[in-house]
Every structure is written in structure tokens, then in C-alpha cells.
Amino acid sequence: MPLAIQAFFVSLLFFSSIASAAIVEHVFQVKNVVVKPLCKEQRIPTVNGSLPGPTINVREGDTLVVHVINNSTFSITIHCPWMDGANMITQCPIQPRNNFTYRFDITGQEGTLFWHAHVVNLRATLHGALIIRPRSGRPYPFPKPYKEAPLVFGQWWDTDIEQLNLRPAPICDAYLINGLAGDSYPCSENRMFKLKVIQGKTYLLRIINAALNTHLFFKIADHNVTVVSVDAAYTTPYGSDVMILTPGQTVDALLTADQPIGMYYMSIIPYLSASSLAPAPPRKVINSLIVYKGATSTTSPSRSLMPSQINSVSTAHRFSSNITSLVGGPYWTLVPRHVDEKMFVTMGLGLEQCPSETKCAGPSGQRITGSLSNRTFLMPGTISLQEAYFYNISGVYTDDFPDQPPIKFDYANFRVHTDSEKKMIFPERKTSVKTLKYNSTVEIVVQNTGIITTESHPMHLHGFNFYVLGYGFGNYVPARDAKKLNLVNPQMHNTVGVPPGGWVALRFIANNPGAWIFHCHMDAHLPYGIIMAFIVENGPTPETSLQPPPSNLPQCTHDPTIYESPTTNVGLSY
């Protein structure tokens, strides 16, 4: 079965490694530790005691064995073939003081991904790099770098992680680069990640946005980079001085140390595309350093000139829309031309009635929610979706997710003109799925709506990579926009930012049997219900069929805090 490591390591914990030629074995110790990125000590769940967690290094073709030991106080999940770690979708979580072992093959993919928690908000501290190199003897499809360096971007709150369940979540206190807040924050001025380089050498930066809820711009002072891979899929080399990464995205980029000997800031800054709702966090540039060999400690670092606007939609769109696939490169395949399933899915925020005796901060005093095609996804409570499908258990979900939204309207410029449009503000809560035949080709146009606000949403598909055929602003019009789609060299992704007030067109082959979710990768939006699920039926052979679950699969103990947030609304988050 293909490894769906896009959603990879949906949960946590890295490990000490005992590697052989083809089998890489790790122990994941999940435990709570005290850390102090800013001025305040905070107790958080970690993998092997570090933030971010350790880097996993494998080669394409390896078998990875993961022994999970949950000594934290949280229920967790992790990615593996039968369940990719999506909580209550492919498995129930691993309870505290419980263990579980996974085994799966790393096939058909090279590049940078990341492992992370897939129980709401735990990804804030349970994440790390997953690096898949080519098999021994196979070169990269670009000049071999002198060295490689992971850059993991994170988001930090000076509060108990349970408080992030508030809906909306509180505004974060800092952003981190490889676990360090740098010189933009009190108490961290002297704690900054430093990448030491030699003038004239080329380095492969493996960049990961593990931030819980925020898109991030990234830039290096006085340097350009060459993007060679996105989401572990090789790209046509693309030179840029700035990049945008949505939550969950990864970028591999070559950096040549071609500037005078000195020190140069590598910086990130949040990209906030919502036109209303949220008070923006402070516009702080978060820094790390490139330090050339021979630079003196008295040298003042060159600063990055970041995008002038925190909501620079044009800068974000220019980078994302210019990325194309490396035609003829490793694992490149032609775009399938015949489409079996066409879906038009509206996506965005809406409202639900504020619970009695509760103060809600949404418009008209209501509670903010979210939906796809006017369906707010309701998580199963007592058994995972995949187990319900495998064992044919009724009453857990309905097989009726629509191919079209219930009514047509001016999606990007929503105004209430009719009673039907008024109803669109309050989506239906339901556990509904779309069933797909094995090996069918699926096309999805995801249309961003302005029902509450227009905002970029990073939509992430578990179990598959997809072709990004095109982006646009305003409403998708098939007669106008279908002819503009790129069917020659579209980039493969597992996460894509849907432009605010715009659309994106995706296509994938449903060749991985089981239950897989398509959801917004801003974790604050998981409790909102910006989720849908696909069930891919079995293929014609045992190898193309969903295998029985392992005998020691974790059993469910319903925890309402996992996806059902407290009802009190405080200000917005991001």
C-alpha cells in the first residue's frame, strides 16, 4: 500500500534509532517536560524531551518500525499504514501509560515531510522533521549540496496546552525557529538558531512550517534560494528571495553562501489573510542566523526586508502559483486526463447557535464554526471511522457527502438575499463521507467563501498527493477557468493554501484503500469542522485491499476535549 506520509506522523514521538540497511527502528518516548522558550516555564508534552522532536532520517524503500511509549498525560496518535494517525478517523488514540508498535514501508516518495500530533493542539509541541533520502546510489535530481539543515518553524503559547482548546484559540505569544524564539522576544535575545556556512558552498535547507495555525513568510537577508521540492515532491528549480509556507507545508531549497563573509538573518513573519474577525498578533520578525566561517562576533547581521504587508496576498500567490513539477524527475507521473469523480466544494467559516448561558464572540453573538459544502464534520465518538467502515458498523457515518454545495450563490462576495442563503450561514453538523471506487480519478475544485470572512485555508489530504492544477481569485467559472488548468507540469502537494476569496483545482488518483480526511491544516479549525472524509473501496487484489487492523489497535475512550472545544469564546487566534 502506498505510504501516505503527507499527513505523516500524526502524532508524536520520536526516537532513539537502531538502524539497519532496510529496517529503521525507533522508540518514541512521549513525556511531559518543562521548557522555557520565553520568560515563563511551561510544562509540555514532548518526544524524547526535545522541542522540536528529533529528526527522522530514512531512505526511500526502508521499513520503519515505531515503538510508541506514551508516558505523557495526553491521549496521542501516530501515523502508520492501517491508520495514518488521524484521531477517530483511522484509529482511537493511544491512552496514557499505554504502548503501541507500528510498522510500515517508505515507498514512492523522497524529500522532506514532518511527523506531528493529530489530536487537536498537541501538534504545537509534538512535531519534528522526517527526511526521506534517495536509495543508496541514487543521486538527487539537483547538484549535491555540501550539507543539509532542517529548519522547523513553530508557534508558542505561554499557557497550558489545554487552553488552546478554547474556541477560538488564544493569540500565540511567539514563533520559534528550531525551538528558539530569537532576539525579537524578551528573555530569548541570546537564544537563536545559527547555521554555520562556508563561503562558496551550497546547502540544502529542509524547511517545515509546523506552526499550529499560521502561514509564514520566510526570507534570508541578501540571499536568494532555489526551490527544488515542495511537500516531498520534486519541483522545476525555482529561484526566489521569499517564500510562503502554509501550516503543514514543507519546502526544500538550495542556498549558496555567495555573499561577503558576515552574518545574515533568516527570518519569518506571519501571513494573515483574514479580512475581519481577528485582532492581529504583533508584527514581529522572528530571526535565526546564517554565520559565515570567518565572521567576527562584532559583525552586525544583515536584516531581511520582509513583505511590507502582513496580509500580502500577492506575494503569497506569486510564490505558490509559480511552483511546477520536475517533469521526468523521480516519481513524476503524467496528469490523468480522464476524470471519474468531479466535485465542487465550498469551504469557509459559518456560525452555530451560541450555547445557553455562554458568551460567544462571533458575529451577532453566535459561535464561529466552519464547513465544507455547508457540512460541519461531526467526529465519531466511540469508534474510528475506518473501523466502522471495515466492520460494516452502521450508525457511525452516512455516505452522502455532496458533489456540489446545496445552493449556488456569489461565493466570494457573500450577501444574504434569500432565505436559502441565510441558511448557508448555519451549516449542518453531520458525519458524512464520499465513497470512491479504487483507482478512480477525482477532481476537486475548492471554492473559498466570504460567508463570515475570506481567508486562506491550508487544505490537507491524507493518504495521497494531489496535482494542483490551478489557482484563481473570485468565483470559479468552469467555462472560463477550466481551460486555464495546468495539465502538463502541475506541482504535486499534500497541503495547499486556498486563496482568500478564491479557488484551487486539485486532482488525485484514489489508489489507497481506507478512510482518509481532507481538512484545514490550521488546528484551530479542526474543532470548527472544516473536514470531510473519503472512503476508498478495495481494489481487485489482496495487495490493493485494506488489511485487517492489528490485534492491539488502541480502543476508544471518549474524550470530549479531543475535538469538542470548550464553548467559551475569547478573541481569535492565529
Side-chain angles (χ1 to χ4, degrees):
M1 150 186 322
L3 178 66
I5 37 201
Q6 314 85 301
F8 208 88
F9 276 167
V10 275
S11 193
L12 11 214
L13 336 84
F14 180 82
F15 16 176
S16 61
S17 131
I18 311 158
S20 61
I23 298 177
V24 180
E25 193 167 6
H26 295 281
V27 176
F28 285 20
Q29 293 276 1
V30 189
K31 56 185 178 181
N32 297 345
V33 300
V34 175
V35 298
K36 190 180 179 182
L38 300 181
C39 302
K40 177 183 176 183
E41 288 189 342
Q42 195 67 43
R43 191 170 183 83
I44 61 168
T46 63
V47 175
N48 288 1
S50 66
L51 175 68
T55 297
I56 302 170
N57 289 282
V58 293
R59 291 186 179 274
E60 194 277 331
D62 283 350
T63 295
L64 187 58
V65 179
V66 181
H67 305 287
V68 179
I69 302 172
N70 185 10
N71 289 322
S72 77
T73 56
F74 299 91
S75 301
I76 59 174
T77 59
I78 194 170
H79 179 56
C80 84
W82 199 83
M83 64 239 102
D84 77 336
N87 181 53
M88 300 309 299
I89 301 298
T90 54
Q91 71 167 101
C92 303
I94 305 167
Q95 302 297 323
R97 299 177 299 282
N98 279 259
N99 305 335
F100 192 52
T101 296
Y102 305 87
R103 183 186 184 97
F104 46 97
D105 297 329
I106 310 289
T107 58
Q109 215 166 7
E110 296 171 7
T112 303
L113 298 167
F114 81 121
W115 54 265
H116 60 276
H118 216 289
V119 174
V120 166
N121 300 320
L122 294 185
R123 178 162 65 86
T125 62
L126 294 172
H127 60 255
L130 168 65
I131 296 173
I132 308 169
R133 294 185 173 84
R135 295 186 186 216
S136 183
R138 292 186 183 177
Y140 291 125
F142 48 80
K144 184 178 179 180
Y146 176 67
K147 285 186 178 179
E148 302 181 7
L151 296 176
V152 182
F153 305 151
Q155 198 167 3
W156 178 258
W157 286 263
D158 263 340
T159 188
D160 292 336
I161 200 166
E162 292 95 335
Q163 294 299 309
L164 304 188
N165 283 337
L166 290 172
R167 187 162 155 187
I171 296 172
C172 70
D173 294 290
Y175 295 92
L176 309 177
I177 299 177
N178 285 353
L180 301 174
D183 60 0
S184 295
Y185 297 95
C187 306
S188 66
E189 294 91 341
N190 298 319
R191 288 182 289 160
M192 189 183 317
F193 173 72
K194 297 178 182 179
L195 175 62
K196 296 180 179 180
V197 302
I198 298 174
Q199 190 178 45
K201 299 292 186 181
T202 297
Y203 298 80
L204 180 61
L205 304 181
R206 296 183 176 273
I207 308 161
I208 298 164
N209 184 5
L212 208 60
N213 299 318
T214 307
H215 302 57
L216 292 168
F217 288 117
F218 171 66
K219 192 169 184 177
I220 304 173
D222 300 338
H223 291 73
N224 286 354
V225 297
T226 301
V227 175
V228 293
S229 178
V230 174
D231 287 351
Y234 292 116
T235 69
T236 304
Y238 175 67
S240 182
D241 66 337
V242 65
M243 60 181 68
I244 182 76
L245 289 91
T246 74
Q249 279 192 326
T250 67
V251 173
D252 289 349
L254 295 173
L255 165 71
T256 299
D258 56 5
Q259 295 300 304
I261 290 174
M263 295 192 292
Y264 300 84
Y265 277 127
M266 294 190 294
S267 305
I268 58 175
I269 194 169
Y271 163 55
L272 300 179
S273 61
S275 59
S276 62
L277 287 183
R283 181 180 163 78
K284 282 191 175 180
V285 176
I286 301 88
N287 296 316
S288 57
L289 275 176
I290 289 178
V291 181
Y292 277 65
K293 185 177 181 180
T296 64
S297 58
T298 58
T299 303
S300 296
S302 294
R303 292 188 175 275
S304 305
L305 183 63
M306 302 304 288
S308 58
Q309 299 295 324
I310 202 169
N311 62 345
S312 183
V313 174
S314 60
T315 302
H317 180 67
R318 181 170 60 250
F319 177 82
S320 300
S321 61
N322 278 324
I323 302 294
T324 57
S325 65
L326 182 62
V327 174
Y331 312 110
W332 174 80
T333 56
L334 287 166
V335 180
R337 297 303 180 97
H338 174 76
V339 176
D340 301 292
E341 299 276 359
K342 283 196 171 187
M343 302 179 68
F344 181 79
V345 177
T346 53
M347 174 271 301
L349 300 179
L351 299 175
E352 62 180 349
Q353 297 294 331
C354 187
S356 60
E357 299 182 4
T358 300
K359 184 178 180 180
C360 295
S364 302
Q366 302 301 319
R367 188 181 183 188
I368 297 171
T369 190
S371 68
L372 295 172
S373 290
N374 216 42
R375 297 279 179 92
T376 297
F377 192 81
L378 183 63
M379 280 287 171
T382 57
I383 189 171
S384 72
L385 185 66
Q386 183 149 283
E387 289 173 279
Y389 163 65
F390 185 84
Y391 293 115
N392 196 27
I393 298 172
S394 62
V396 177
Y397 65 90
T398 58
D399 180 17
D400 61 356
F401 188 87
D403 291 338
Q404 301 285 330
I407 66 168
K408 293 182 178 180
F409 59 95
D410 188 353
Y411 308 110
N413 305 286
F414 180 77
R415 298 290 185 276
V416 174
H417 300 292
T418 67
D419 288 342
S420 294
E421 287 174 333
K422 185 176 181 180
K423 290 180 180 178
M424 296 297 292
I425 299 175
F426 293 89
E428 179 184 10
R429 287 176 60 85
K430 196 172 185 182
T431 310
S432 60
V433 308
K434 168 74 174 177
T435 299
L436 302 172
K437 296 290 186 184
Y438 179 81
N439 224 31
S440 59
T441 297
V442 184
E443 182 176 292
I444 312 174
V445 175
V446 184
Q447 173 70 57
N448 209 325
T449 68
I451 291 178
I452 300 299
T453 182
T454 56
E455 178 180 13
S456 175
H457 292 269
M459 294 303 295
H460 173 59
L461 179 62
H462 286 222
F464 307 91
N465 279 349
F466 49 76
Y467 302 92
V468 179
L469 305 182
Y471 300 85
F473 290 94
N475 296 325
Y476 177 80
V477 179
R480 177 192 66 199
D481 297 321
K483 64 183 73 172
K484 300 177 184 177
L485 300 182
N486 179 3
L487 301 178
V488 178
N489 62 346
Q491 179 58 24
M492 298 291 287
H493 282 267
N494 61 61
T495 305
V496 64
V498 185
W503 55 269
V504 64
L506 319 173
R507 195 174 290 184
F508 71 98
I509 300 173
N511 57 4
N512 197 1
W516 309 101
I517 55 172
F518 183 47
H519 69 95
C520 181
H521 216 277
M522 291 159 62
D523 276 28
H525 290 176
L526 287 177
Y528 287 8
I530 307 181
I531 306 170
M532 67 159 293
F534 291 105
I535 288 181
V536 179
E537 296 179 341
N538 288 337
T541 66
E543 292 75 23
T544 58
S545 299
L546 182 63
Q547 301 302 302
S551 59
N552 61 339
L553 185 70
Q555 298 301 301
C556 284
T557 299
H558 181 57
D559 179 356
T561 66
I562 288 178
Y563 275 110
E564 300 169 17
S565 307
T567 56
T568 302
N569 277 282
V570 293
L572 244 197
S573 109
Y574 311 132

